[in-house]
Amino acid sequence: SLYGNVSHIFFLDRNNGLVSTHAGEIYKTSDGGTTWTTILAIGSATSACFLDNPNNILVSEFQPGAVHYSRDGGATWSIVQNNNWIREIIPAKNGKAFLLSGDWPTGEHVWLTTDYGASWSEQSGEANGDSYSFNVEGCDNKNMFIANEGYSYTAAYDGRSRIYASSDGGTSWSVTANYATKYFAGSVTEG
């Protein structure tokens, strides 16, 4: 059975899936969820995904802010430190993926990998630091959206919840919706 509160579920196809928990366990199935195997245990997992096939796996760790990646289905792991909170990883194609990372003083930024997680580059656009979910348009990876919950009472708290949109892959962001605090919560999805 799964241990800890589920933070993210990702299925590549009807058989191959990953589950991450807030307690840091990553579980993998290759039979559609009938059986699960623990493939990684870290501090605090926020998401896990496959890139292109079941051998390439990325896992985001909220604190201390790291990406764990495997090229052999989870048998061995490498790590890339980010040093900021990592909210979520969104897979694309051909070894490409995006993640949302930042903190309250520096704001949130989208990061990009094109080599299956071995290296990451920070995009220059910035969103409010109290942002926890984002999504990337599947047909055009340059179109991205961030939900700014505006919930935390920190130095960056400004009493607003926003939707940020980018049409240039996170180089710049514009606010497309702006409401009072606690208006947005949860996840961003695109269909």
Side-chain angles (χ1 to χ4, degrees):
S1 71
L2 298 177
Y3 171 76
N5 295 328
V6 172
S7 58
H8 190 255
I9 299 170
F10 180 88
F11 270 81
L12 178 67
D13 52 39
R14 66 183 308 153
N15 291 318
N16 296 288
L18 298 165
V19 169
S20 58
T21 70
H22 289 288
E25 292 84 17
I26 307 301
Y27 300 93
K28 178 181 171 185
T29 184
S30 57
D31 59 12
T34 302
T35 60
W36 294 89
T37 303
T38 304
I39 59 170
L40 185 64
I42 55 176
S44 55
T46 52
S47 65
C49 64
F50 294 110
L51 286 185
D52 300 330
N53 63 61
N55 289 323
N56 302 311
I57 302 172
L58 295 178
V59 174
S60 59
E61 185 174 10
F62 181 69
Q63 277 182 301
V67 175
H68 302 260
Y69 66 97
S70 175
R71 299 292 301 269
D72 57 12
T76 61
W77 293 90
S78 298
I79 186 171
V80 176
Q81 293 296 133
N82 180 278
N83 299 320
N84 280 312
W85 299 329
I86 298 180
R87 312 298 190 186
E88 185 177 8
I89 295 176
I90 305 288
K93 295 188 183 320
N94 301 319
K96 190 174 181 180
F98 303 90
L99 66 80
L100 181 64
S101 178
D103 56 29
W104 288 304
T106 63
E108 298 288 335
H109 297 268
V110 169
W111 293 67
L112 166 69
T113 183
T114 58
D115 57 9
Y116 296 92
S119 64
W120 294 84
S121 60
E122 181 180 31
Q123 307 308 293
S124 58
E126 179 182 333
N128 186 282
D130 197 20
S131 300
Y132 294 88
S133 53
F134 83 117
N135 211 324
V136 178
E137 186 179 312
C139 294
D140 185 351
N141 292 156
K142 296 216 177 276
N143 295 323
M144 302 177 174
F145 307 91
I146 295 176
N148 167 231
E149 287 84 354
Y151 184 78
S152 180
Y153 292 96
T154 67
Y157 174 75
D158 64 1
R160 306 303 299 169
S161 292
R162 300 171 188 84
I163 297 291
Y164 289 90
S166 175
S167 60
D168 57 14
T171 301
S172 64
W173 294 93
S174 60
V175 175
T176 61
N178 191 341
Y179 296 96
T181 299
K182 299 183 183 179
Y183 192 85
F184 298 116
S187 298
V188 176
T189 187
E190 68 90 24

